[in-house]
Amino acid sequence: MSSARLSENELHLNFDELESMFSCNAARTCTDTLNVERRNTRKNAVITLLSHKRSFNVSIFLKQFKEGIFQIIENVRKGNGEFFGLERLNNLHAILPDNEEIEILRGFSGDESQLGIAEQFFLNLLTVSDYRLILDCMILKEELDIAFETLLPHIDTVINSCIEIKESKALPKIFCMLVQIGNFLNANATFGNAAGFKLNSLWRILDVKGTQKSITLLHFIAMVRF
């Protein structure tokens, strides 16, 4: 007789024993697996204290630094502006946490390793005393270095001009001549016997016109030989 023609009663299968041997263990295995997955999920879950957009923007900024957030914090603590550069210093200053965010961050008492990268960075930054003032000083220093490089050629020009004025032998003679010319032209006026003049009145040389309107007192002075 083939097995296909046997009835269920003839096989004498103990389904209760079958269930006890396999179903319960399988259920327990599934339950254990599910519990492990839940524990792993809870363990790997990232806790965010900031808004999604805020965390995203801060994370994007931090990705510029391959050294990691702790190296960033250490350079802030040391006031090492050269590590950042002016542009990244300004960007860092722009993303600093506000008072509300600081209160939320300091109120967190859980495992910091479960926090997002932005939250971890801010919490470590808050351990640096006067970090805002340090950032302001670093930005000022970097701006001053750039400004100095820009102004240096102009500073050299002013210094060289001062040296030429100081060492010029013709300039005192020109000033003396201007006093004489002024006294001559104003001989009949109350201020025609001046002993000197103010430097800001030198511009008036261009205002004194000759009989020909295109000629000024400056042209006359230029023709004098010393």
Side-chain angles (χ1 to χ4, degrees):
M1 181 179 294
S2 66
S3 59
R5 296 180 180 179
L6 292 175
S7 65
E8 293 182 0
N9 294 331
E10 294 182 75
L11 293 176
H12 304 292
L13 296 176
N14 189 340
F15 290 103
D16 292 334
E17 185 176 357
L18 179 65
E19 183 178 5
S20 65
M21 291 177 62
F22 295 97
S23 298
C24 291
N25 288 339
R28 184 168 58 252
T29 302
C30 292
T31 302
D32 292 343
T33 302
L34 182 60
N35 289 336
V36 170
E37 290 178 351
R38 286 176 178 173
R39 285 197 298 270
N40 290 336
T41 301
R42 288 195 297 268
K43 182 178 180 180
N44 297 328
V46 176
I47 301 174
T48 56
L49 304 177
L50 307 173
S51 67
H52 175 73
K53 182 178 180 180
R54 187 83 163 96
S55 297
F56 178 77
N57 290 337
V58 175
S59 299
I60 290 296
F61 170 77
L62 295 176
K63 286 181 179 179
Q64 301 178 57
F65 302 89
K66 298 180 180 179
E67 298 83 356
I69 63 173
F70 295 107
Q71 192 65 29
I72 299 174
I73 300 299
E74 189 61 25
N75 279 280
V76 171
R77 195 186 308 275
K78 294 179 179 178
N80 183 15
E82 295 180 358
F83 172 79
F84 299 93
L86 181 58
E87 182 178 356
R88 294 200 295 189
L89 279 173
N90 284 323
N91 291 337
L92 175 56
H93 194 280
I95 65 169
L96 291 178
D98 56 30
N99 293 333
E100 183 179 352
E101 291 171 335
I102 291 174
E103 185 177 353
I104 294 174
L105 290 164
R106 285 179 171 166
F108 178 74
S109 58
D111 185 1
E112 292 186 10
S113 63
Q114 290 186 293
L115 291 173
I117 187 69
E119 286 81 358
Q120 290 186 38
F121 172 69
F122 280 158
L123 277 175
N124 282 278
L125 183 62
L126 292 175
T127 64
V128 180
S129 300
D130 298 322
Y131 62 90
R132 285 183 179 272
L133 180 60
I134 294 174
L135 274 175
D136 288 338
C137 291
M138 286 193 291
I139 291 173
L140 180 61
K141 182 179 181 300
E142 292 298 312
E143 288 178 339
L144 183 60
D145 290 342
I146 295 175
F148 183 75
E149 292 178 0
T150 304
L151 292 174
L152 187 58
H154 302 287
I155 294 174
D156 289 338
T157 300
V158 173
I159 292 175
N160 292 332
S161 299
C162 292
I163 293 174
E164 289 185 11
I165 291 174
K166 183 179 179 180
E167 296 179 352
S168 174
K169 296 180 179 179
L171 189 60
K173 296 179 181 179
I174 293 175
F175 285 166
C176 183
M177 181 182 63
L178 288 174
V179 173
Q180 293 178 2
I181 292 174
N183 288 334
F184 176 80
L185 295 177
N186 297 299
N188 297 325
T190 56
F191 43 88
N193 191 26
F197 60 89
K198 295 181 180 180
L199 289 177
N200 59 6
S201 64
L202 285 173
W203 294 107
R204 298 183 62 182
I205 295 175
L206 298 174
D207 297 331
V208 180
K209 304 291 185 180
T211 54
Q212 298 180 15
K213 298 301 181 182
S214 60
I215 301 298
T216 67
L217 184 57
L218 183 62
H219 291 87
F220 175 80
I221 295 172
M223 293 186 296
V224 177
R225 295 182 179 181
F226 297 99

